[in-house]
Amino acid sequence: EAYAVLSDPEKRRRYDTHGFSGVSGYSDEDLFGGIDLGSILGGAGGFNFESSIFDRMFGLGRPQAPLQGANIQATLHVSLKRLLTGGKELIHVKRPRNCSACRGTGAASGTEPRQCEACGGSGQVTTTRHNKSIQFQQITTCPECHGRGTLIDHPCDECNGRGQVERVENIEVQIPPGMDEGRALRIAGHGQPSQEQGGPAGDLFVFVNSIPEPQFQRHGPHLRHTAKIQIPQAVLGAHLQVPTLDDQVIDLTIPPGTQPETMFRVPGKGLPILGTDQRGNLYVIVRVCVPEQINERQRELYEQLLATQPECTAAE
């Protein structure tokens, strides 16, 4: 409406003199009858109406690269030792793949899909309607070919005309040392195939998680190990043999008077820190075992010990 008023000298003079009331008496035919929407929407930059601003916004009127297939996800569980050293792991992924019998066309051998006459092979149909002097167009998916642009008279026996078959694929994945929990590895081209012939497949994202192990608990690059000791060992001190992921056993000194849940740090015995040549720590948590059943001799000894022990003071 603004363009219709301002582009006409007489209408503009009335608007400049009387404002909106000066042009309120014009009908739609008076306002828009001489307007070329193609010159308004597509004139700039040498575009015609078929290649207007709407074409640039929605990708109409120009060739598009084939759409990439959808990405898929999978989860891979690996041992802590694999995260320690890094290396290759095999993952089994079930996904659709282009049918080898018809090369993804969906048509039987010796035949080809034919162009859909309803949409001319575009996969879209355009409905036009007029409202007085204005023309409106609505673009929808072709109901005959369902957007494919082609029709198959003789479907492929292998894929029943779908152009795709589901297969289990064995994929080798390289695990970097110290990979973070839950991080994804991107395997290009191993996702869903494109819905358009000749389009690239999507990607596979493999999320890597560690398998829980009884001896170690992972906390980022650090590991935790729980060691159980007897009450006399906590009182008198002891030497413990502590396992590591390196299949080595380290000697850990427990000082006299060690309290339950005391944590000892063993530097450099955790997992690699991703992207560096450093390693996290191994933390050993000491838990004191209290016997649930004792014999008479043990009871006498504990009673004698208790008689010599000072009373416990309240914690500060």
Side-chain angles (χ1 to χ4, degrees), residues 45 114 118 126 177 244 246 271:
R114 61 180 175 88
T126 303
T244 68
D246 303 284
L271 291 171

Side-chain angles (χ1 to χ4, degrees), residues 274-287:
L274 186 64
T276 72
D277 57 357
Q278 300 178 350
R279 289 177 58 174
N281 302 320
L282 171 64
Y283 292 94
V284 181
I285 302 173
V286 173
R287 291 184 178 169

Side-chain angles (χ1 to χ4, degrees), residues 6-313:
L6 299 178
S7 62
D8 184 278
E10 176 60 21
K11 297 185 183 74
R12 178 161 188 165
R13 184 187 64 79
R14 292 194 177 203
Y15 175 79
D16 291 341
T17 303
H18 304 288
F20 285 108
S21 60
V23 293
S24 60
Y26 288 108
S27 65
D28 289 344
E29 287 78 4
D30 293 332
L31 280 176
F32 304 118
I35 299 300
D36 179 9
L37 290 179
S39 66
I40 300 173
L41 300 176
F47 289 91
N48 55 29
F49 184 70
E50 287 75 26
S51 182
S52 68
I53 187 173
F54 293 108
D55 299 338
R56 283 172 277 165
M57 288 172 61
F58 298 106
L60 305 176
R62 55 187 167 90
Q64 295 278 330
L67 292 177
Q68 184 179 17
N71 298 328
I72 60 176
Q73 298 180 4
T75 301
L76 178 63
H77 294 88
V78 299
S79 67
L80 291 178
K81 286 192 175 182
R82 172 58 71 204
L83 293 175
L84 174 66
T85 61
K88 296 179 180 179
E89 291 284 338
L90 200 63
I91 186 171
H92 310 285
V93 179
K94 191 175 184 179
R95 68 183 183 99
R97 302 180 66 180
N98 285 334
C99 176
S100 58
C102 65
R103 304 181 308 280
T105 65
S109 178
T111 67
E112 294 289 339
R114 61 180 175 88
Q115 179 175 292
C116 176
E117 297 178 357
C119 64
S122 67
Q124 299 174 331
V125 292
T126 303
T127 304
T128 303
R129 63 183 179 89
H130 294 81
N131 183 5
K132 298 181 180 179
S133 60
I134 301 179
Q135 175 178 291
F136 297 90
Q137 290 185 336
Q138 182 180 12
I139 301 175
T140 57
T141 300
C142 176
E144 295 294 327
C145 65
H146 305 289
R148 295 187 63 175
T150 57
L151 295 173
I152 299 173
D153 297 318
H154 303 285
C156 171
D157 293 334
E158 185 72 20
C159 63
N160 296 321
R162 296 192 303 271
Q164 297 176 359
V165 290
E166 202 166 57
R167 294 283 188 268
V168 176
E169 185 177 9
N170 299 323
I171 303 173
E172 203 171 57
V173 180
Q174 181 68 37
I175 307 296
M179 184 172 181
D180 295 332
E181 193 80 13
R183 176 173 289 194
L185 295 171
R186 174 176 170 267
I187 314 297
H190 287 270
Q192 296 276 12
S194 174
Q195 296 299 315
E196 299 183 9
Q197 188 173 356
D203 299 331
L204 167 66
F205 288 87
V206 180
F207 290 85
V208 178
N209 292 320
S210 60
I211 300 174
E213 297 190 15
Q215 292 196 97
F216 304 102
Q217 296 81 46
R218 183 183 185 183
H219 295 269
H222 308 299
L223 298 175
R224 289 186 181 180
H225 171 76
T226 300
K228 295 182 179 180
I229 61 175
Q230 301 294 331
I231 293 177
Q233 291 177 304
V235 175
L236 303 175
H239 289 274
L240 297 183
Q241 300 296 302
V242 177
T244 68
L245 275 182
D246 303 284
D247 292 329
Q248 299 176 349
V249 177
I250 60 174
D251 185 75
L252 180 65
T253 300
I254 303 297
T258 293
Q259 300 299 307
E261 305 301 323
T262 298
M263 182 182 293
F264 297 91
R265 182 174 70 93
V266 182
K269 288 299 181 180
L271 291 171
I273 299 175
L274 186 64
T276 72
D277 57 357
Q278 300 178 350
R279 289 177 58 174
N281 302 320
L282 171 64
Y283 292 94
V284 181
I285 302 173
V286 173
R287 291 184 178 169
V288 179
C289 294
V290 177
E292 296 182 1
Q293 294 181 348
I294 56 177
N295 56 37
E296 289 299 325
R297 175 59 179 162
Q298 290 169 335
R299 178 179 297 278
E300 292 177 3
L301 293 174
Y302 274 114
E303 289 175 348
Q304 293 175 14
L305 179 62
L306 180 61
T308 63
Q309 288 287 102
E311 293 185 3
C312 294
T313 58

